[in-house]
Amino acid sequence: MRNFQLLDTMSEDKTSGIITFTTTYDATARPTLAMRREGGYIAISASYGPFEIALRPRFQELSRVLARLQPVEGLQTTRQIGTGQAYLAVGLRADGMLLLRPTIVADATGHIGFNLILNQESRSALFEWLPVTE
């Protein structure tokens, strides 16, 4: 089963336009998710210690998918934004937490990804920052 890391703290740097989500839990390799709008794209950096996955999905696609996201019992992630080789899988739990799985696919034999979850407050902050109209 997947081990999701809770990101429960949000900060925004108004100068650079970067929004960052981290955890308040003591972790040796603190998981971090950072995003910045770059024209028609969103630059996403998901890191865990020295490891990083960087994605650049289209802004409109990300906003549209998040706006239409509904919880589906039995499924963790229900939508993917990106390509078959690099994507952000997203899902919404019934309790309002947002599941995010930035993933890079090597080929049919494997992939690497981070399993992150935003609490309700962080999800609301992300939706307001993008903005996403629910």
Side-chain angles (χ1 to χ4, degrees):
M1 294 307 295
R2 294 187 173 111
N3 178 22
F4 284 90
Q5 294 289 295
L6 177 65
L7 303 179
D8 57 356
T9 303
M10 184 278 298
S11 63
E12 182 179 358
D13 182 343
K14 300 272 190 197
T15 307
S16 66
I18 296 174
I19 188 169
T20 304
F21 300 93
T22 58
T23 183
T24 56
Y25 298 102
D26 188 24
T28 47
R30 183 171 294 231
T32 303
L33 179 70
M35 298 182 182
R36 181 175 68 183
R37 177 103 185 249
E38 294 179 345
Y41 296 90
I42 294 286
I44 299 173
S45 169
S47 61
Y48 190 81
F51 296 104
E52 177 191 27
I53 291 179
L55 302 173
R56 202 165 176 254
R58 295 183 188 280
F59 170 77
Q60 291 293 347
E61 185 179 2
L62 178 63
S63 293
R64 184 180 69 250
V65 166
L66 291 177
R68 296 178 181 166
L69 204 55
Q70 295 292 321
V72 176
E73 190 64 36
L75 293 178
Q76 291 180 331
T77 57
T78 56
R79 299 284 185 262
Q80 291 182 359
I81 301 111
T83 68
Q85 292 77 35
Y87 59 85
L88 177 66
V90 295
L92 186 63
R93 290 190 351 185
D95 62 4
M97 291 194 177
L98 180 65
L99 302 166
L100 301 168
R101 295 192 65 236
T103 304
I104 304 290
V105 178
D107 59 18
T109 62
H111 69 275
I112 185 168
F114 294 144
N115 300 311
L116 306 171
I117 186 167
L118 298 182
N119 65 3
Q120 293 176 13
E121 294 80 20
S122 294
R123 178 186 59 85
S124 294
L126 173 64
F127 281 26
E128 185 178 317
W129 177 80
L130 277 173
V132 172
T133 54
E134 298 179 77

